[in-house]
Amino acid sequence: MTDDENRVAGLLLAAGGGRRLGGRPKALLPHRGRLLVEHAAEVLRAGGCASVHVVLGAGAEEVRARAALPDCVLVDNPDWEHGMGTSLRAGLDALAGTGARAALVLLVDQPGIGPQAVARVRRAYGSPRSLVSAAYDGVRGHPVLFGAGHWAGIAATATGDQGARAYLKEHAEAVELVECGDVAEAYDVDTEADLAHLE
């Protein structure tokens, strides 16, 4: 792994309040004998991210108390109720000045995405101008990698639950798609019915 690849930081967005799950913070949902936030942080590490920042919001104090997140940097997003865009901004702000050349973003509520997909997207990093996205049958999904040269532009346009969608649409020609449909499933755990995906 090159020095630059070592500077691809994992950024886990885990602030969601689980509104459609009766207000259960998604980070605290159980999966495979541990909390979903623990599982997702380990996916980033196992996929090759040397450092992992975890953005917390709903239930942040309980997550800090219950979750085993060794060597992760925990970032509080007090504005989490205003949507995923605020968590993305908080995470990118926290990475500024760390020496990271890129942020590899994973959502806590997508447990069907494992280390293989993370590793594929990370390996596509080329420079701080890189924009890389996992694709599922050619359709853009998560995880996504944002070179540091894009962070300011993404932060300026990340609003509500759109996250970086507007920025990626505007720069579609620059986004490298990495097919991951053979190694991952990109479902979200949003509703009671979706809890069937958890083990």
Side-chain angles (χ1 to χ4, degrees):
M1 194 184 296
T2 68
D3 185 49
D4 260 11
E5 284 178 317
N6 267 323
R7 298 190 190 182
V8 174
L11 180 55
L12 177 60
L13 304 187
R19 189 169 34 88
R20 288 180 283 173
L21 288 167
R24 281 179 286 175
K26 293 182 178 182
L28 293 168
L29 293 173
H31 181 57
R32 296 182 180 173
R34 54 185 171 172
L35 301 178
L36 202 50
V37 68
E38 296 170 337
H39 168 81
E42 178 54 32
V43 164
L44 285 169
R45 280 228 189 280
C49 295
S51 67
V52 176
H53 282 56
V54 182
V55 181
L56 303 177
E61 285 186 24
E62 189 177 352
V63 175
R64 285 177 180 273
R66 290 178 53 197
L69 296 167
D71 302 321
C72 291
V73 177
L74 305 184
V75 180
D76 284 309
N77 174 19
D79 298 320
W80 65 269
E81 289 182 89
H82 296 291
M84 184 173 61
T86 63
S87 291
L88 183 55
R89 285 202 305 272
L92 293 178
D93 282 350
L95 284 174
T98 64
R101 301 284 177 85
L104 197 155
V105 180
L106 184 67
L107 308 182
V108 76
D109 66 350
Q110 293 191 319
I113 297 172
Q116 287 175 288
V118 169
R120 279 189 190 176
V121 172
R122 186 186 56 74
R123 282 196 300 266
Y125 168 82
S127 78
R129 297 302 304 167
S130 291
L131 277 178
V132 184
S133 174
Y136 299 87
D137 293 327
V139 179
R140 186 171 53 74
H142 282 88
V144 290
L145 182 147
F146 305 126
H150 296 281
W151 293 357
I154 291 168
T157 58
T159 57
D161 276 323
Q162 295 297 303
R165 194 174 302 166
Y167 189 87
L168 289 171
K169 191 173 178 183
E170 188 181 326
H171 297 82
E173 75 292 339
V175 179
E176 179 181 350
L177 295 180
V178 176
E179 184 57 46
C180 292
D182 59 320
V183 295
E185 294 181 87
Y187 55 78
D188 299 328
V189 178
D190 281 334
T191 66
E192 292 284 345
D194 297 332
L195 293 175
H197 288 300
L198 300 179
E199 299 170 19

